[in-house]
Amino acid sequence: MIATQETIDATAAIFDDLRCQKNTSLDNLLETPDGRRILSCIQCGTCAGTCPYGEHMDYPPRRIINMLQRGLIDEVFRSDSMLRCVSCYACMAKCPRNIRLSDVLLPLVKEQTLIHLTEMPAELQKSLQNTLRYGNPMGESSRKRAAWTATAGVPVPTIGEKGGVADILWFVECYTSYYARGQDNSRATARLFHALGLDFAILGNEEKCAGDCGQLTWESGLFETLTDYNMVVFGKYKFKRLVTGDPHAFNAFRIRYPLFGFDYPVDHTTPLLHGHLDRLKPMLKKKLDCTVTYHDSCCLGRRAGCYEPPRELLRAIPGVKLVEMTHNRVNAICCGGGGGGMWLDTFFKAKGMERLSERRIREAIRTGADVLAVSCPYEISRFEDALKTVGHDKPIVVRDVVELLADSLGD
Amino acid sequence: MIVPKKKEPIRVGVYVCHCGVNIASMVDVEQVAQYAAKLPGVAVARTYKYMCSDPGQEMIEQDILEHRLNRIVVSACSPLLHEHTFRKAVEKGGLNPFFFQMVNIREHNSWVHTSRAEATQKAMSLVRAAVQRVFHHKPLEVKKVPINPNVLVLGGGIAGIHAALVLANAGKHVYLVEREPTIGGHMAKFDKTFPTLDCAACVLSPKMAAVGNHPNITLWTYSEVTKVDGFVGNFRITVRRKPRYVLEDLCTGCQECIEACVYREPKFKDEFNLGLGKRKPVYLPFPQAVPPIAIIDPETCIELKTGKCKKTCVEACGDRKAIDLKQQEEIREIQVGAVIVATGFRVFDARRAPFFGYGTYPNVYNALEIERLINASGPTGGEIVLPDGRKPKSVAIIHCVGSRDEHTNRWCSRVCCLYSLKLAHLIHERTEAQIHNFYIDVRTPGKSMEEFYNRIAEEGVKLIRGKVADVYPDTSEGANGRLIVQAEDTLMSRILKLPVDMVVLAVGLEPHPDAPNVRRLFNMSCSNEGYFLERHPKLAPVSTFADGIFLAGCCQGPKDIPDSVAQAGAAAAEAFSLIDKGHIELEPNTAFITEAECSGCKSCIPLCPYTAISFLEDKKKAFINEALCKGCGTCVASCPSGSIRQNLFEDDEIFSEIQGLLAEV
């Protein structure tokens, strides 16, 4: 599916309004501007129809809205429907009434669902506990957060080491700090930043998870703990903008952190590098000779409208042929990792639900591509796992856009 | 008429209207009248429930006689609504109608304020300003200018055709200007029309032919208006006639040139069939085209592109000598008294809603393309077939594509539900396919429309309440281009993944992308959506804010054929009533030059938006043509020597008004 510029503008229009209200609850929601949009719902079912798990929900978004309008929302909490929401923004991006489902309504319902659950899925509970205790969902030691920098091949200074001042504060995030394949992303990003001569620094061991997934599963207490912590750390240093390679953190800094006083410009690595494409392109000397298909991450694609920059970066790599999957851009299928889905695979399986990463990888395989390119650290592990269970005749690997760019830098 | 003597004292009558509760509920009208009664020069101050009613007007007339009033102030609604009414009443009472000032305490006051005390204070200030101003009013005279009896109809769709015929039949000369090579518009592309399922061509072709043959209609197709000068009653319109390389007065419509073209087979995308069929570089858009004259496309004609063709078309035309490959565009100027704008709409480009797969999957069509496939004169001769030639066994029709959607167009396009039901019937009739209509709400207002809905439902169309969220290829074995349509059946709360052979998108209607240019040309306004704005949504639905410019058809908003035709008739009647009077009255609020003070600097001349100012070479003074002046005041404000003044907006009138407005109550 080829999106025209007009399409992109149209789908990006929804992203203009980032305002959320901190004290919004299900009780006062309908009195807020976002709530009045909910009242304009025409019950068309686009949300349920596009939801990747819509057929597994007793209460897909359309019915939730109806129950809310009828004053019967409490009945929704008796179902575990909302646990199946992977916060992929598909319903919100296509809603003809521009109702902020994934931003506002669904997280509120999700929080109540969690509160009413008799038994919390163990995997999810563990991750949330780890995030609270260690600042990362894997439960790794916070003192080892910056350990990966030793293997970066280029200096990766902490902002403390730079006298507390840097142009770019690079917020590395959890998977990219601890998980081996995530570190590949970080090492590639460091090399690219160096090649471009950017003035950057990381927080090092001071950094804790930005908390987006905590927020989206609406552990609001956990989210606020992390926000409070990170805001204090930011306050210690001087930097002009914050950059992160994790679209979920990017999302949190754009949409949630401003409620807590955060007002730095925020960028994701992919659009940031795209902004330097003129200088980067001559450095991309090594031919990669492969067919690549790009998977739009939900937070960077549908939520931020960033569809073309990653594709243009890929096209800039010599020898890369870009092909599209059936579902792309606004219509992309989620990897299933958002909204806590990362830690609900066991729960989904127990409910007889197909893993979305498998649904997605099948589309990637059908393109005949050699590489599935991604721009979100969750996706590397999710799609690599999916490749283990979904049969394919031709080899296909999962690489982040930054990894491919760094490969092409040569030595 | 009472002509006030110079020394006669000013005696003002002030009338404060309740407008039912519209004003009285927010403004204490009694208090305003009591206040006005005490103002210097005010002889009478009254309130009345409806000043615009006959008794209200009579009260003014009687008071003028009884109380020897010589100035009148009415404090009521917007002057747009009733200034004319009260001027007439003042005139009937024996005064010059311009010894009158209207105060708007409704739209500018009671409707927009929430504090009664403050609204009342504001009303008092406004009334005081008017009383002080009206002291300085002078008697003015309404002038008449003759009106040109010709009418321009812009756009040759069904609305333009109908309006042109109505006026031409009434004996007025009509210039019908159409951008495309033929008239007929969208209706000419349709197969059958709802709710009667009568053939579109059967009802339209006779009207098209009547336009072509009418002695009172000058038909210019393949032409565009490029410039509009003048004013109501006397417009000068510049029309660009694009070269069709076939001379209209010599071509007999025999089509031998098309036969003889060096391209044996049609090779190029046929615009009339939306690219589903092919044509030659020389072609007739469709068999019933009016005028029935061939046209040569300079983009594909070898001779026009390279100058190296055998020109078999010229040979075939022979002695008729109708083909002129050197034809140039022509610029023509016409004079008309009124204009009917009927420029129509375009259908929504479904690529803007990418998840329906239009432009990606060949089996996804928009509704207009299906009309051409169903039409016997269409590219498949009326067969509904997939690109591979098979007949579809199951079809999904998706309603509201590009309508009722904040991402694309917010409005309901009004015709799609009914045409979708019609297409469901026609596709089933031709293919026996199972049809599924995916809808949000089925909207079938209008005469015989609900009955039509019933009839189609009884035919067994599957009506599914849910908007389609995704269309993607079926990847199972032997799917052969089959698509999966994914939607929630909202009445069952179940997600459907329906395999179909063909998807039809009920695309909505939207304004032409160049509508803003037409708006500027004719000095009209547009609504938020980009449709041309009528002067009043209920009481002046075919007039615009530009005098003498009327609207018909979908350029004003989506509507079906019956409504377009009704509106075209109304626009024709409005234009007729304007031009048939023979003259128009000019508002006397025009600017004039005090010659003694004019320095002849000419700075006002280029500023005038109506080209009403010229320079008198003999006197070295500027001159304002009253008939062209619209009273905008630009020249008055710009004149460095202060030599330009404007009736009803003289300095003493404006300054007294301001002083009255700003004084303490």
Side-chain angles (χ1 to χ4, degrees), chain B residues 39 74 116 127 224 248 270 278 298 301 313 350 355 396 407 417 420 472 651:
Chain B
L39 291 171
V74 175
R116 189 172 164 86
V127 167
E224 287 181 65
E248 286 184 34
D270 164 4
K278 297 237 166 37
C301 167
C313 55
F355 39 90
H407 299 286
C417 280
S420 297
Y472 51 92
D651 284 356

Side-chain angles (χ1 to χ4, degrees), chain B residues 130-265:
Chain B
V131 168
Q132 294 204 13
R133 168 193 235 279
V134 83
F135 266 63
H136 301 277
H137 277 205
K138 295 177 182 61
L140 298 169
E141 207 182 312
V142 173
K143 295 207 171 119
K144 290 177 180 173
V145 291
I147 203 161
N148 184 307
N150 303 335
V151 178
L152 164 71
V153 175
L154 189 64
I158 181 59
I161 288 172
H162 186 74
L165 285 173
V166 170
L167 284 164
N169 288 341
K172 301 296 174 192
H173 193 88
V174 177
Y175 294 92
L176 179 56
V177 174
E178 163 60 47
R179 170 154 64 180
E180 300 296 327
T182 172
I183 57 170
H186 280 97
M187 188 177 171
K189 294 189 167 81
F190 300 162
D191 183 55
K192 289 188 173 143
T193 55
F194 62 78
T196 45
L197 293 179
D198 47 348
C199 142
C202 310
V203 290
L204 180 64
S205 308
K207 291 187 80 115
M208 289 170 62
V211 166
N213 300 327
H214 208 294
N216 287 342
I217 298 179
T218 303
L219 173 60
W220 286 346
T221 53
Y222 213 43
S223 303
E224 287 181 65
V225 169
T226 55
K227 196 161 166 251
V228 178
D229 291 315
F231 56 97
V232 52
N234 292 282
F235 292 107
R236 280 198 315 281
I237 312 276
T238 310
V239 181
R240 185 165 70 96
R241 305 210 59 204
K242 292 175 276 188
R244 63 195 299 154
Y245 306 103
V246 177
L247 302 176
E248 286 184 34
D249 34 3
L250 299 180
C251 175
T252 59
C254 69
Q255 304 185 41
E256 282 174 33
C257 51
I258 301 174
E259 194 63 35
C261 178
V262 290
Y263 284 101
R264 290 263 168 82
E265 292 300 322

Side-chain angles (χ1 to χ4, degrees), chain A residues 1-4 6-7 10-11 13-14 42-52 54-56 58 60 62-63 92-98 326-327 330-331 359 363 366, chain B residues 346 349 351-357 360-361 403-408 410 439-441 465-473 475 486-495 497:
Chain A
M1 185 180 299
I2 307 302
T4 60
E6 263 182 309
T7 331
T11 48
I14 195 174
I42 47 177
Q43 291 284 305
C44 67
T46 304
C47 47
T50 195
C51 176
E55 58 208 309
H56 297 286
D58 306 325
R62 178 189 64 79
R63 290 195 76 198
M92 178 166 141
K94 288 185 187 174
C95 172
R97 284 296 187 259
N98 245 351
T326 299
H327 289 89
V330 69
N331 216 22
R359 194 188 295 179
E363 282 202 352
R366 270 199 298 275
Chain B
R346 73 164 179 181
D349 177 359
R351 277 171 295 209
R352 285 174 59 202
F355 39 90
F356 296 122
T360 306
Y361 308 122
S403 299
R404 305 183 72 193
D405 186 345
E406 299 278 334
H407 299 286
T408 54
R410 300 175 72 176
Y439 67 93
I440 307 175
D441 298 299
R465 193 194 176 283
K467 181 151 182 179
V468 170
D470 200 0
V471 174
Y472 51 92
T475 50
Q486 187 172 316
E488 186 197 13
D489 182 331
T490 60
L491 300 181
M492 287 208 303
S493 286
R494 199 172 288 177
I495 307 297
K497 293 179 183 176

